[in-house]
Amino acid sequence: MSSNKLFDEFLDAKPIFENKEVLRPSYTPEYLPHRDEQVSRLASILVAALRGESPSNILIYGKTGTGKTAAAKYVGKELEAKGEEVERACSVIYINCEVVDTQYRILAQIAQHFDQDVPMTGWPTDRVYEKFVEAVDRRHQVVTIMLDEIDQMIEKSGDDILYNLSRVNGELRRAKVSIIGISNDLRFTETLDPRVKSSLGEEEIIFPPYDASQLRDILEQRAGKAFFDNSLAEGTIPLCAAKAAKEHGDARRALDLLRVAGELAEQGDRAAVVDEKHVERAQNKIEMNCVVEAVKKLPCQTQAVLFATILLDESRGRKLTTGEVYETYRRVCQHIDMDVLTQRRVTDLISELDMLGILNVRVVSKGRYGRTKEISLSVPRDEIKSVLLDVYRLEPLRRFSLPKQSRF
DNA sequence: ATTCCACAGGAAGCGACGGCCC
DNA sequence: GGGCCGTCGCTTCCTGTGGAAT
């Protein structure tokens, strides 16, 4: 094929996406459908900042994809803008605690926001704290600190940072600080110091999951900007919404589905419209990605068990038993020079794979022939096999095959 | 009705490891 | 820094069991 033809083919295809970024989780829309209540609640609390008072601290709860971060960022942006308008300095600092996950780094981040020079590492924490206080207190202002994924950080580094932040107002002469904590986990305050808990949770806002029709509205709103006119089939958005509603009303999932469906249509099929078939395929693709990630992260022994199951599945073509899997697992381990665990342990590993949805396991009785687990794969065999073969420890298994006598 | 297979899965305990407290 | 505790991954030992075969 000549090279000019090669490109022509793709160039001619009518693009579907006008602006794909709109469908990404990082995008903050200027209106959040079905979040008016939460947004105005936030605004009613934060308005204190515009009067130069410090707003109550807020805790925001909700599962992934319920619009917590988007709502908080949106209100934060509006607050800063309004502050400028009425000449009250309001700063909003957004920190994702999954990335910035220690007391030191959070304080350093805030200090840097106010142009203080703090190295990313090296200083004692109390010196960073002083810099932070100095930076914030340099002028009359209300500083709102948003700590996203706060539950993750508490798990890793404790609640000292929250304690320090919540009492910093006592040291400030000009400025005032308020905190917004955003959490996926409804019960994370249980582990907090009671003092921190009461000061942080002065106000609590809950973001419930979206239902299918709300998800539809969200998708409609974004799709208008993301896609060119008439590039979505009628059933596409409702299907994405319905699928995501089943998964705890996760808007991020709904947007992912729509985006991936669009990509499949545009690149794979070079179709003019995104239809329901693309959504189905998008769902498979997304799920497949999750499974691949899960398999890669499995402990080595569990991967070996899974590999043994795959090999047997290839050669038997029927449901397997614990004994068969264990025997094969032993051979696999010997081939890659790995410790062989006991059968007792391996049955537990098999059960774990079942719980992860990678295997299908049922306990059945074969009468005279004993009681065993009936094991089958619930993921695509060949894809997962090649994923496993890319794992360093399992690499030598590329040249491994079952001994003949066990083929029967 | 009894036997007996091929395991399931509970109990206890062991060693390694990390966090914490004095 | 050393003693203590909880947790994790694992082994050892064990009792229990559904139902085809007898």
Side-chain angles (χ1 to χ4, degrees), chain A residues 23-27 32-35 60-71 148-149 182-185 206-212 214-216 218-219 222 241 244-245 247-256:
Chain A
L23 298 178
R24 295 202 184 272
S26 53
Y27 176 82
L32 296 160
H34 304 291
R35 286 295 178 244
I60 296 177
Y61 293 111
K63 295 204 173 141
T64 47
T66 50
K68 305 178 300 279
T69 307
D148 203 351
E149 317 268 348
I182 305 177
S183 165
N184 289 317
D185 184 1
I206 302 211
F207 281 61
Y210 295 107
D211 65 30
Q214 294 171 333
L215 286 170
R216 220 152 47 221
I218 294 169
L219 291 176
R222 305 267 189 119
E247 304 234 355
H248 8 89
D250 183 345
R252 184 178 310 169
R253 184 59 178 268
L255 291 164
D256 276 346

Side-chain angles (χ1 to χ4, degrees), chain A residues 152-204:
Chain A
Q152 304 271 328
M153 185 207 53
I154 301 301
E155 241 176 68
K156 276 187 256 176
S157 11
D159 55 8
D160 291 1
I161 176 72
L162 296 180
Y163 180 69
N164 289 332
L165 283 180
S166 64
R167 68 188 177 86
V168 71
N169 278 325
E171 291 183 45
L172 296 170
R173 319 204 45 206
R174 286 182 282 267
K176 297 190 169 73
V177 165
S178 80
I179 308 169
I180 301 180
I182 305 177
S183 165
N184 289 317
D185 184 1
L186 265 157
R187 295 169 300 112
F188 102 100
T189 50
E190 285 170 16
T191 59
L192 293 179
D193 184 313
R195 287 169 299 182
V196 173
K197 185 177 170 181
S198 65
S199 107
L200 183 64
E202 286 170 335
E203 300 281 351
E204 302 194 348

